[in-house]
């Protein structure tokens, strides 16, 4: 029972954080509310007994990546006058909501039709380092290996795009 | 040995990684790229008849995947051959450009063989990211300088559609408990009228609609086509679409015709992209933009063929995309050769092309006639068989709408041909030098377009054989 309440709590928090990310004007506020989303997602992983993913989510996403983003935002020193002026912002937001509402209606209908899953007790070792490792290196070996190439592409791409400014001046 | 084509592409990419560490001249890089692409094509051709599965059955090698790999390798080689010295790309990053190109090809090759959701996703990401970076690598000196803007647009739309796809995959996984397409298909056959399965499936399909530029996911096309360098556009317009069609065939064959809602939605997408693409193409001045919009309408035709749900329909779609790639590459060959400095071409820049280079003019005319669907070229045969198939299935009104679209399309294709042939250049324009390699590529493309159009039997047989490996 308490698990259900916790789930709804985390879900609400993560949605609020995501809303904050897109609605706050200043990037710093947006980044901070994104941290809320990341941490509540970590909470959901913990509710699913995914220990390792919980830890990784906290350390890598909420910890490392967000501090990197915050560092960059502070480095850029964004003042209120640097922020873009968005006069039609609420208008577009309202228009978007109107456009999306039929889809949301369909999604709601879908959620209602979902069969009630049985929440059985999972095995003792679920979500541990060893189990995740075995899954990753056996069943999902191919995606794991392609990710290394993807990272190479992203790395070289970042260098190519960032090196641009120096080359031109 | 089963993995040899992919390994050769990977190796080619890594060779360019090491080449990029030094500063070679662009002629060396270009020769190297053509050589490596030719080697990749040969290796893919030799492993054509292989069969098997790898990596705990998440990677399947069969006639279907090998046929698509061969197409991808051939199209890549064609793009590399006619893009010349890649005049549209910045000089200092040409080696990296080829690195991304080969990595993109690697992702696409893996995509057509993957039969497991996670592998599909990662392979798609690999191919997309490589191409996202290729767009802003255009030289700033060209007359259009919004390559950064189009790169960002491409990235943002791409990420959005990937998010849709991942969300859909999570639904499929949650409903069926498996990420393998075979097991999902088995479970879905009981579930496909459930709204959750429907939405999951649609969202996964939307990810590939984006790649193929089908109607509600086409917004990136005109700006990216215009903003990217000519050779990059040629690559984007041909190679990823082959792989996206392969995956669409794989996924749509999991849905049966009884799922009426999904069929209706796909039908609307298909007819919508035909009308949107053709009507917007009518008013375009930039030839790459025009070809982009025409690509949207052709993607609609490909999807239309898939909706007939059967070996014949899938095989015709496969045949159609093969033909589309050939015709499209023929047009881009002309664009890349005429725009020797890598600038964007307006349609009026082609004025009097038949005097400047008769062979290029013939290539352009054949490509455009084929795209318009005029016999005896492949575009006609493909469209004809698609519509006949759909008509037999009882899609009367959609067939009529598609036929109307063919008529609309003839106008804008032929007006380009008219400019190239029937009007004389106002200012004196020099003849265009075409290197022999590019001439050879053009000849091969022309022969392909005509032979596929006149004698479709063998190609259709091959396509049906490939498709029948997918269907139970």
């Amino acid at each position: 029972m308490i698990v259900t309440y916790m789930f709804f709590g985390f879900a609400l928090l993560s949605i609020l954080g995501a809303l904050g990310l897109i609605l706050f004007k200043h990037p710093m506020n947006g980044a901070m509310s994104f941290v809320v989303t990341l941490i509540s997602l970590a909470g959901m992983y913990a509710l699913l007994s995914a220990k390792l993913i919980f830890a990784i989510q906290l350390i890598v996403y909420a910890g490392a990546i967000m501090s990197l983003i915050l560092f960059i935002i502070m480095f850029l020193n964004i003042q209120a006058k640097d922020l873009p002026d968005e006069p039609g912002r609420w208008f577009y937001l309202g228009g978007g909501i109107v456009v999306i509402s039929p889809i949301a209606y369909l999604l709601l209908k879908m959620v209602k039709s979902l069969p009630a899953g049985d929440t059985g007790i999972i095995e003792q070792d679920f979500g541990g380092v060893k189990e995740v490792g075995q899954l990753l290196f056996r069943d999902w070996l191919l995606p794991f290996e392609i990710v290394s190439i993807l990272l190479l592409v992203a790395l070289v791409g970042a260098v190519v795009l960032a090196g641009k400014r120096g080359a031109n001046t | 040995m089963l993995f040899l084509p992919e390994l050769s592409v990977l190796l080619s990419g890594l060779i360019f990684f090491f080449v990029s560490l030094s500063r070679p001249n662009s002629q060396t890089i270009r020769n190297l790229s053509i050589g490596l692409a030719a080697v990749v094509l040969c290796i893919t051709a030799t492993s054509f008849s292989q069969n098997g599965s790898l990596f705990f059955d998440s990677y399947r090698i069969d006639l279907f995947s090998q046929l698509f790999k061969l197409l991808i390798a051939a199209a890549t080689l064609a793009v590399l051959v006619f893009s010349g010295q890649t005049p549209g790309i910045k000089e200092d990053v040409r080696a990296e450009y080829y690195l991304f190109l080969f990595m993109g090809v690697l992702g696409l090759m893996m995509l057509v063989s993957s039969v497991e959701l996670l592998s599909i996703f990662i392979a798609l990401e690999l191919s997309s990211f490589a191409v996202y970076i290729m767009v802003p690598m255009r030289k700033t000196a060209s007359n259009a300088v919004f390559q950064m803007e189009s790169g960002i647009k491409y990235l943002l739309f791409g990420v959005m559609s990937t998010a849709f796809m991942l969300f859909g995959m999570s639904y499929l996984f949650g409903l069926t408990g498996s990420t393998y397409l075979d097991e999902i298909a088995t479970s879905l056959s009981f579930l496909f009228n459930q709204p959750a399965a429907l939405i999951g499936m649609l969202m996964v399909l939307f990810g590939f609609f984006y790649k193929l530029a089908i109607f509600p996911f086409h917004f990136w096309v005109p700006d990216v086509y215009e903003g990217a360098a000519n050779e990059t556009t040629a690559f984007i317009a041909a190679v990823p679409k082959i792989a996206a069609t392969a995956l669409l065939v794989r996924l749509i064959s999991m849905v049966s015709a009884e799922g009426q809602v999904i069929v209706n939605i796909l039908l609307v997408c298909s007819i919508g992209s035909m009308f949107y693409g053709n009507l917007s193409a009518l008013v375009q001045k930039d030839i790459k933009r025009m070809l982009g919009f025409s690509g949207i309408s052709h993607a609609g035709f490909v999807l239309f063929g898939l909706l007939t749900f059967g070996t014949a329909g899938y095989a015709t779609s496969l045949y159609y995309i093969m033909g589309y790639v050939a015709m499209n590459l023929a047009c881009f060959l002309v664009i890349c050769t005429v725009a020797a400095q890598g600038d964007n071409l307006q349609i009026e820049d082609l004025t009097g092309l038949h005097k400047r280079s008769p062979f290029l003019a013939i290539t352009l005319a054949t490509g455009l006639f084929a795209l318009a669907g005029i016999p005896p070229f492949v575009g006609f045969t493909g469209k004809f068989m698609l519509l006949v198939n759909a008509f037999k299935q009882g899609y009367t009104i959609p067939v009529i709408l598609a036929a109307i679209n063919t008529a609309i399309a003839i106008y804008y294709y032929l007006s380009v041909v008219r400019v190239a042939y029937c009007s004389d250049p106002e200012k004196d324009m020099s003849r265009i030098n075409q290197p022999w390699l590019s001439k050879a590529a053009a000849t091969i493309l022309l022969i392909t377009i005509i032979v596929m159009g006149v004698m479709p039997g063998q190609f259709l047989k091959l396509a049906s054989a490939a498709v029948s490996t997918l269907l139970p």
Side-chain angles (χ1 to χ4, degrees), chain A residues 106-107 110 113-115 137-143 146-147 149-150 152-154 156-157 160-161 164 167-168, chain B residues 10 17 55-56 59 90 96 99-100 103 106 110 116 118-119 122 126 133 136 148 171 179 194-196 199:
Chain A
L106 188 66
L107 280 174
M110 183 207 78
S113 78
L114 276 179
F137 290 104
R138 212 184 52 205
D139 292 10
W140 282 311
L141 178 66
L142 180 67
I146 317 176
V147 164
I149 308 168
L150 181 61
L152 175 73
V153 168
V156 181
V160 166
L161 290 185
K164 193 184 213 83
N168 279 354
Chain B
L10 176 60
F17 178 66
F55 304 111
F56 303 94
Y59 199 78
K90 282 200 210 80
E96 285 91 340
L99 164 70
F100 294 130
M103 289 308 185
L106 174 69
M110 294 191 141
E116 194 257 343
L118 215 54
S119 313
I122 304 277
L126 175 59
I133 302 168
M148 261 306 175
Y171 271 116
T179 56
Q194 288 278 332
I199 287 181

Side-chain angles (χ1 to χ4, degrees), chain A residues 61-76:
Chain A
Y61 284 90
I65 293 183
M66 279 320 292
S67 54
L68 195 68
I69 292 178
L70 288 180
F71 184 72
I72 293 168
I73 293 175
M74 285 200 267
F75 201 68
L76 291 176

Side-chain angles (χ1 to χ4, degrees), chain A residues 76-122:
Chain A
L76 291 176
N77 188 21
I78 297 165
Q79 304 293 330
K81 62 176 166 37
D82 302 326
L83 297 175
D85 192 30
E86 302 164 286
R89 168 186 161 95
W90 293 106
F91 176 71
Y92 285 120
L93 213 61
I97 290 171
V98 171
V99 171
I100 287 179
S101 54
I103 303 172
Y105 173 70
L106 188 66
L107 280 174
L108 275 180
K109 218 171 126 186
M110 183 207 78
V111 169
K112 277 194 196 125
S113 78
L114 276 179
D118 48 339
T119 44
I121 308 250
I122 38 157

